[in-house]
Amino acid sequence: MNQSQTNGKLILTEYAFGNQKRDIAFFLKDNRMEYLKVLPREDALLVGTILIGKCRHQVPNIPAAFFALNQDGEIGFLSTKNTEHLKVLNRPFKGKLADGDEVLLQIRREPLKTKEYAVSGNIELQGRYCVAKFGSGRLFFSKSHQDCVKNAISSYFRQKAFCTPDLSLIGYPGFDLILRTRAERMTGSADQMETLFHDCADTLAALEQIVSQAGNRSCFSVLEKPAGWLESVREDLNACGFQVNEYVTDSYHLYTSMQDDHIFYYQDEQVSLPVLYNISARIEEALRAKVWLKSGGYLCIEQTEAMTVVDVNTGKATRGKNAEKLFFETNMEAALEVLRQLRLRNITGVVVIDFINMADKSHEESILKAMKAQAVYDYQKVHIYEFTRLGLLELTREKRGKSLQESLK
């Protein structure tokens, strides 16, 4: 991705899906949609929500329990293989749950099809550059951090009396702190290091406050909600390398509340904002199984319960070209488009790509290198593996939130 060409426009509006209206946000770069998010309903329990749940039923023969999450009877599934960090609030906890226990929980996965919410007792709080969680009082770094980055950050934190030389946190014996990959960007100057330090200190303090307040709150209380939807969208775009240079909305409330010099309030009784930007066609395109490439080739994207399968085809781009060159060029274009489609549709889990067979194995290496370089510009973690003997490429994309297809149901 060319970092000098990442500026774009963020459209914020309401759109009708069947009989229901939902707020949506989509990012346009050179009039091409690069990001789309259907915002959750106001009463939805979002991934990251921290609340107090009540144990309703323990599953015989397996280490698991079901929890009521609110007065509406929504249910969460908790694995109890490890209860080391479980915070039971209604009684002294000796390692074994009982029906009726009130426990501090965090939503880790939204309900999918017949599955309930997935919840965890190991609470995590996201900062901009770090993650704070229950633990043994240690500072950890992302696996991608080089030693020079680790040394620079740990040295600065020691000067601030924030950690010891062996990376034990000072003043937070029950918590761990993990520096995210993006923390590497904050080591270039003293001001950046100070910003990183305050983000880490504030995130740990916020988690400590949530735990201390939990004992005084009633069952089903929500102690922490994830970042507001607009902040969440901005974080997603930032992780993708996109920068918003103009906001457009037809919501007067949003227009007046944002107080941003780059926001434009759209008013036109003849042509609505969704019509102006042809949102209906853009969403339909993002749901379509067949995706055409500029070269004339196309993708077939099939989502199943177990995985997503992508088939690459030459389509119309077959005449007057060397076959091997054609296959390589089509596969390279398809590889980058697949990553875009996964981001647009928020497709997660296992993805298998069936590229057009190439005789030159060095072409596979070129495609693999290009995909790994582009995959870092995603708001979810993407892991790309090697080509198989059959010429298939496997990748995984972190599961967080519903896919576009699921969010419209």
mmCIF file of all heavy atoms in Angstrom, residues 4 25 64-65 70 90 115 126 155 169 171 194 229 243-244 265 269 306 332 354 377 395:
data_model
loop_
_atom_site.group_PDB
_atom_site.id
_atom_site.type_symbol
_atom_site.label_atom_id
_atom_site.label_comp_id
_atom_site.label_asym_id
_atom_site.label_seq_id
_atom_site.Cartn_x
_atom_site.Cartn_y
_atom_site.Cartn_z
ATOM 1 N N SER A 4 1.397 7.307 0.787
ATOM 2 C CA SER A 4 1.107 8.686 0.404
ATOM 3 C C SER A 4 -0.275 8.824 -0.216
ATOM 4 O O SER A 4 -0.718 9.913 -0.506
ATOM 5 C CB SER A 4 2.168 9.178 -0.587
ATOM 6 O OG SER A 4 2.087 8.451 -1.795
ATOM 7 N N ALA A 25 -21.088 2.880 8.406
ATOM 8 C CA ALA A 25 -19.927 3.717 8.133
ATOM 9 C C ALA A 25 -19.135 3.049 7.019
ATOM 10 O O ALA A 25 -18.876 1.845 7.085
ATOM 11 C CB ALA A 25 -19.061 3.862 9.384
ATOM 12 N N ALA A 64 -17.034 -26.529 31.635
ATOM 13 C CA ALA A 64 -17.722 -25.404 31.019
ATOM 14 C C ALA A 64 -18.955 -25.043 31.834
ATOM 15 O O ALA A 64 -19.482 -25.867 32.597
ATOM 16 C CB ALA A 64 -18.120 -25.731 29.575
ATOM 17 N N ALA A 65 -19.404 -23.806 31.662
ATOM 18 C CA ALA A 65 -20.603 -23.342 32.369
ATOM 19 C C ALA A 65 -21.327 -22.323 31.510
ATOM 20 O O ALA A 65 -20.716 -21.639 30.686
ATOM 21 C CB ALA A 65 -20.228 -22.729 33.713
ATOM 22 N N ASN A 70 -27.742 -10.890 31.216
ATOM 23 C CA ASN A 70 -28.585 -9.718 31.467
ATOM 24 C C ASN A 70 -29.989 -10.176 31.831
ATOM 25 O O ASN A 70 -30.300 -11.386 31.834
ATOM 26 C CB ASN A 70 -28.604 -8.767 30.258
ATOM 27 C CG ASN A 70 -28.996 -9.481 28.963
ATOM 28 O OD1 ASN A 70 -29.690 -10.500 28.973
ATOM 29 N ND2 ASN A 70 -28.557 -8.937 27.839
ATOM 30 N N ASN A 90 -19.677 -13.009 44.866
ATOM 31 C CA ASN A 90 -20.679 -13.202 45.916
ATOM 32 C C ASN A 90 -20.207 -14.081 47.066
ATOM 33 O O ASN A 90 -20.920 -14.254 48.058
ATOM 34 C CB ASN A 90 -21.954 -13.798 45.317
ATOM 35 C CG ASN A 90 -21.707 -15.131 44.642
ATOM 36 O OD1 ASN A 90 -20.869 -15.199 43.729
ATOM 37 N ND2 ASN A 90 -22.402 -16.183 45.059
ATOM 38 N N LYS A 115 -24.835 -20.872 18.287
ATOM 39 C CA LYS A 115 -23.926 -20.752 19.429
ATOM 40 C C LYS A 115 -24.232 -19.498 20.238
ATOM 41 O O LYS A 115 -24.648 -18.480 19.709
ATOM 42 C CB LYS A 115 -22.477 -20.719 18.941
ATOM 43 C CG LYS A 115 -22.036 -22.002 18.248
ATOM 44 C CD LYS A 115 -20.594 -21.896 17.790
ATOM 45 C CE LYS A 115 -20.148 -23.177 17.084
ATOM 46 N NZ LYS A 115 -18.741 -23.082 16.607
ATOM 47 N N GLN A 126 -8.281 -2.959 26.348
ATOM 48 C CA GLN A 126 -7.469 -2.506 25.224
ATOM 49 C C GLN A 126 -7.096 -1.042 25.381
ATOM 50 O O GLN A 126 -7.949 -0.191 25.583
ATOM 51 C CB GLN A 126 -8.261 -2.676 23.908
ATOM 52 C CG GLN A 126 -8.674 -4.092 23.591
ATOM 53 C CD GLN A 126 -7.582 -4.878 22.905
ATOM 54 O OE1 GLN A 126 -6.611 -4.311 22.423
ATOM 55 N NE2 GLN A 126 -7.749 -6.183 22.836
ATOM 56 N N SER A 155 13.714 0.386 28.884
ATOM 57 C CA SER A 155 14.598 1.364 29.524
ATOM 58 C C SER A 155 13.824 2.619 29.937
ATOM 59 O O SER A 155 14.004 3.132 31.056
ATOM 60 C CB SER A 155 15.728 1.739 28.547
ATOM 61 O OG SER A 155 16.538 2.754 29.092
ATOM 62 N N LEU A 169 6.081 -5.478 36.630
ATOM 63 C CA LEU A 169 5.411 -4.187 36.765
ATOM 64 C C LEU A 169 5.448 -3.729 38.211
ATOM 65 O O LEU A 169 5.284 -4.540 39.136
ATOM 66 C CB LEU A 169 3.954 -4.305 36.285
ATOM 67 C CG LEU A 169 3.751 -4.602 34.802
ATOM 68 C CD1 LEU A 169 2.280 -4.878 34.523
ATOM 69 C CD2 LEU A 169 4.235 -3.437 33.945
ATOM 70 N N GLY A 171 3.710 -1.906 41.181
ATOM 71 C CA GLY A 171 2.416 -1.419 41.659
ATOM 72 C C GLY A 171 1.216 -2.149 41.087
ATOM 73 O O GLY A 171 0.075 -1.821 41.423
ATOM 74 N N GLU A 194 6.612 9.238 25.774
ATOM 75 C CA GLU A 194 5.773 9.710 26.883
ATOM 76 C C GLU A 194 4.305 9.369 26.613
ATOM 77 O O GLU A 194 3.577 8.957 27.534
ATOM 78 C CB GLU A 194 5.957 11.213 27.063
ATOM 79 C CG GLU A 194 5.233 11.795 28.270
ATOM 80 C CD GLU A 194 5.859 11.383 29.596
ATOM 81 O OE1 GLU A 194 6.931 10.754 29.598
ATOM 82 O OE2 GLU A 194 5.261 11.696 30.648
ATOM 83 N N TRP A 229 -18.621 3.697 18.821
ATOM 84 C CA TRP A 229 -18.522 3.136 17.482
ATOM 85 C C TRP A 229 -17.654 3.980 16.551
ATOM 86 O O TRP A 229 -16.882 3.447 15.752
ATOM 87 C CB TRP A 229 -19.916 2.925 16.894
ATOM 88 C CG TRP A 229 -20.702 4.166 16.627
ATOM 89 C CD1 TRP A 229 -21.638 4.731 17.435
ATOM 90 C CD2 TRP A 229 -20.611 5.004 15.469
ATOM 91 N NE1 TRP A 229 -22.149 5.872 16.857
ATOM 92 C CE2 TRP A 229 -21.534 6.060 15.648
ATOM 93 C CE3 TRP A 229 -19.861 4.964 14.305
ATOM 94 C CZ2 TRP A 229 -21.706 7.060 14.708
ATOM 95 C CZ3 TRP A 229 -20.033 5.968 13.359
ATOM 96 C CH2 TRP A 229 -20.953 6.992 13.576
ATOM 97 N N GLN A 243 -6.387 7.280 6.411
ATOM 98 C CA GLN A 243 -6.598 8.519 7.173
ATOM 99 C C GLN A 243 -7.802 9.255 6.609
ATOM 100 O O GLN A 243 -7.911 9.451 5.398
ATOM 101 C CB GLN A 243 -5.354 9.406 7.096
ATOM 102 C CG GLN A 243 -5.502 10.699 7.895
ATOM 103 C CD GLN A 243 -4.218 11.506 7.899
ATOM 104 O OE1 GLN A 243 -3.145 10.986 7.634
ATOM 105 N NE2 GLN A 243 -4.334 12.792 8.213
ATOM 106 N N VAL A 244 -8.711 9.649 7.484
ATOM 107 C CA VAL A 244 -9.919 10.357 7.055
ATOM 108 C C VAL A 244 -9.599 11.835 6.889
ATOM 109 O O VAL A 244 -9.188 12.505 7.841
ATOM 110 C CB VAL A 244 -11.057 10.186 8.088
ATOM 111 C CG1 VAL A 244 -12.299 10.931 7.622
ATOM 112 C CG2 VAL A 244 -11.366 8.710 8.317
ATOM 113 N N TYR A 265 -21.999 18.410 6.616
ATOM 114 C CA TYR A 265 -23.389 18.018 6.884
ATOM 115 C C TYR A 265 -24.172 18.055 5.575
ATOM 116 O O TYR A 265 -24.344 19.111 4.967
ATOM 117 C CB TYR A 265 -24.002 18.961 7.916
ATOM 118 C CG TYR A 265 -25.446 18.657 8.253
ATOM 119 C CD1 TYR A 265 -25.872 17.361 8.532
ATOM 120 C CD2 TYR A 265 -26.393 19.695 8.300
ATOM 121 C CE1 TYR A 265 -27.189 17.095 8.844
ATOM 122 C CE2 TYR A 265 -27.711 19.433 8.614
ATOM 123 C CZ TYR A 265 -28.101 18.128 8.885
ATOM 124 O OH TYR A 265 -29.412 17.858 9.177
ATOM 125 N N GLU A 269 -33.234 17.185 0.023
ATOM 126 C CA GLU A 269 -34.500 16.442 0.057
ATOM 127 C C GLU A 269 -34.721 15.628 -1.217
ATOM 128 O O GLU A 269 -35.492 14.665 -1.220
ATOM 129 C CB GLU A 269 -35.664 17.417 0.258
ATOM 130 C CG GLU A 269 -35.640 18.114 1.608
ATOM 131 C CD GLU A 269 -36.832 19.046 1.781
ATOM 132 O OE1 GLU A 269 -37.650 19.142 0.833
ATOM 133 O OE2 GLU A 269 -36.952 19.667 2.852
ATOM 134 N N ALA A 306 -17.492 -23.946 8.273
ATOM 135 C CA ALA A 306 -16.153 -24.364 8.685
ATOM 136 C C ALA A 306 -15.067 -23.407 8.203
ATOM 137 O O ALA A 306 -14.086 -23.165 8.911
ATOM 138 C CB ALA A 306 -15.866 -25.770 8.153
ATOM 139 N N MET A 332 -1.722 -12.564 -8.934
ATOM 140 C CA MET A 332 -1.225 -11.465 -8.113
ATOM 141 C C MET A 332 -2.338 -10.447 -7.851
ATOM 142 O O MET A 332 -2.521 -9.988 -6.712
ATOM 143 C CB MET A 332 -0.043 -10.783 -8.800
ATOM 144 C CG MET A 332 0.553 -9.634 -7.995
ATOM 145 S SD MET A 332 1.263 -10.167 -6.406
ATOM 146 C CE MET A 332 2.841 -10.824 -6.983
ATOM 147 N N ASP A 354 -7.776 -21.023 -3.804
ATOM 148 C CA ASP A 354 -7.376 -21.913 -4.899
ATOM 149 C C ASP A 354 -6.946 -21.053 -6.078
ATOM 150 O O ASP A 354 -7.757 -20.634 -6.896
ATOM 151 C CB ASP A 354 -8.542 -22.833 -5.283
ATOM 152 C CG ASP A 354 -8.152 -23.856 -6.341
ATOM 153 O OD1 ASP A 354 -6.955 -23.922 -6.686
ATOM 154 O OD2 ASP A 354 -9.043 -24.576 -6.830
ATOM 155 N N TYR A 377 -1.937 -4.383 6.762
ATOM 156 C CA TYR A 377 -2.888 -3.276 6.696
ATOM 157 C C TYR A 377 -4.310 -3.806 6.837
ATOM 158 O O TYR A 377 -5.125 -3.719 5.927
ATOM 159 C CB TYR A 377 -2.709 -2.490 5.397
ATOM 160 C CG TYR A 377 -1.350 -1.860 5.280
ATOM 161 C CD1 TYR A 377 -0.422 -2.358 4.379
ATOM 162 C CD2 TYR A 377 -0.993 -0.794 6.095
ATOM 163 C CE1 TYR A 377 0.847 -1.784 4.285
ATOM 164 C CE2 TYR A 377 0.269 -0.213 6.018
ATOM 165 C CZ TYR A 377 1.177 -0.712 5.108
ATOM 166 O OH TYR A 377 2.428 -0.156 5.023
ATOM 167 N N LEU A 395 -4.837 -19.183 4.894
ATOM 168 C CA LEU A 395 -4.617 -18.074 5.813
ATOM 169 C C LEU A 395 -5.702 -18.084 6.873
ATOM 170 O O LEU A 395 -6.759 -18.699 6.698
ATOM 171 C CB LEU A 395 -4.567 -16.732 5.075
ATOM 172 C CG LEU A 395 -5.821 -16.202 4.356
ATOM 173 C CD1 LEU A 395 -6.725 -15.427 5.316
ATOM 174 C CD2 LEU A 395 -5.431 -15.298 3.210
#
